[in-house]
Amino acid sequence: MKLSIIALLAFIPVAFNCLADCAGTGLSAFPYQGEINKNTVFVLDGYAESQQVINGLNEKFPVYLKSGDERIPLKVLEIHVGQFYLTQAVLKPEMSLIPGKKYQLVIDHLPDYEKLGVYNLKTHGFDPISYFVTDTTDMEAPVWTEKPQEKDKSLTHFGCGPSIHVNFKMDVKEQSEFLVKTTVKNRKTGTETIYYIGGKEGLSIGHGMCSGAFTFDDSLEYEAKFQLMDASGNISEETDWIAFTKPID
């Protein structure tokens, strides 16, 4: 018993360090903010405890765009559950957005500890996520000018867990912001996981110390396929499956 208590006391500082390094909640939106087209779609991500908000959208947590007294509900089109503390929803306005108007993204009934907004370094608070609607409708899908190819792998061990990624190079023809609908299959179990991830700064499959869309278990072999979605919901052609192996020490 004495040894068990000593082991527990030794573990406590590590646990507190992990809690300090990794936040307990987090909500983020795509597009981030700024100008949007009339036919924009939105993607909300919830980290850790905030995953409950994503799963409860329009049930416990109404989500909409607000401009003055006008409210435009956002319909949930897709829900995707990541493998390491991330869940996301793809949303579409139920009515047309009006050019020239400024809309604020709102989620009602959020717990006090949840913050939806843009962090302000000066005030140390959160400013609303706002969009200005242009008189543009984008109906053109993104185009692969170079389909994804594996570039390299990385594995870094931290005190609270590893950061592990398989990185792909690619090139895309697209004027607006875009995400990459990524499907990863574990070739040993056949399990598939789908998640929209950022691709503008490079495409990376895996997770950081605190969270990520994809994890790797004891299986070595995986494969992935990719499809582009721009900020107006236009979808590119899907790639073929691309085989890869997880990073190892």
Side-chain angles (χ1 to χ4, degrees):
M1 177 64 72
K2 188 174 182 180
L3 288 175
S4 298
I5 292 173
I6 292 172
L8 176 61
L9 291 174
F11 170 76
I12 288 174
V14 176
F16 276 108
N17 286 337
C18 289
L19 289 172
D21 290 339
C22 296
T25 62
L27 290 168
S28 60
F30 169 90
Y32 179 61
Q33 59 180 347
E35 291 188 350
I36 59 174
N37 297 325
K38 291 188 292 185
N39 60 331
T40 294
V41 297
F42 302 86
V43 179
L44 283 176
D45 285 85
Y47 158 68
E49 290 298 318
S50 299
Q51 293 178 98
Q52 66 171 331
V53 175
I54 304 300
N55 287 318
L57 289 174
N58 289 336
E59 294 177 1
K60 188 176 180 180
F61 306 105
V63 57
Y64 55 91
L65 297 174
K66 180 180 179 181
S67 179
D69 294 331
E70 179 189 13
R71 289 189 179 190
I72 297 183
L74 295 175
K75 180 181 180 180
V76 177
L77 300 181
E78 304 173 38
I79 294 280
H80 297 291
V81 180
Q83 295 179 299
F84 190 22
Y85 294 133
L86 286 181
T87 300
Q88 71 182 180
V90 181
L91 309 166
K92 183 178 181 180
E94 292 189 358
M95 294 175 282
S96 299
L97 302 182
I98 300 174
K101 276 199 170 186
K102 186 176 182 179
Y103 291 91
Q104 178 182 331
L105 179 62
V106 180
I107 301 177
D108 280 345
H109 310 318
L110 286 178
D112 291 339
Y113 59 80
E114 291 284 4
K115 304 298 181 186
L116 176 66
V118 181
Y119 186 71
N120 188 314
L121 291 173
K122 293 182 179 180
T123 65
H124 301 290
F126 287 84
D127 296 333
I129 298 175
S130 299
Y131 305 99
F132 179 81
V133 182
T134 67
D135 194 16
T136 303
T137 301
D138 181 6
M139 303 299 293
E140 188 172 345
V143 176
W144 297 106
T145 51
E146 180 185 354
K147 292 185 178 180
Q149 300 178 49
E150 186 178 335
K151 179 183 177 183
D152 54 35
K153 299 178 174 70
S154 64
L155 172 58
T156 305
H157 293 281
F158 295 102
C160 299
S163 174
I164 182 169
H165 295 90
V166 179
N167 305 306
F168 293 79
K169 62 179 182 178
M170 65 177 195
D171 196 31
V172 175
K173 181 182 177 182
E174 172 57 39
Q175 297 285 334
S176 65
E177 296 181 70
F178 66 88
L179 297 174
V180 184
K181 184 178 184 179
T182 302
T183 306
V184 175
K185 178 191 290 186
N186 183 320
R187 299 184 71 178
K188 180 180 179 180
T189 65
T191 302
E192 294 185 13
T193 301
I194 298 173
Y195 212 86
Y196 287 89
I197 60 177
K200 201 164 188 177
E201 303 300 325
L203 182 60
S204 185
I205 292 175
H207 64 83
M209 182 180 74
C210 300
S211 68
F214 305 102
T215 60
F216 304 108
D217 58 18
D218 59 354
S219 177
L220 180 65
E221 297 186 346
Y222 295 82
E223 57 186 359
K225 59 183 179 179
F226 308 98
Q227 196 170 22
L228 302 167
M229 182 183 78
D230 67 18
S232 294
N234 300 306
I235 300 292
S236 76
E237 65 172 330
E238 191 173 54
T239 69
D240 294 330
W241 287 103
I242 301 171
F244 67 91
T245 57
K246 74 174 184 180
I248 56 175
D249 290 316

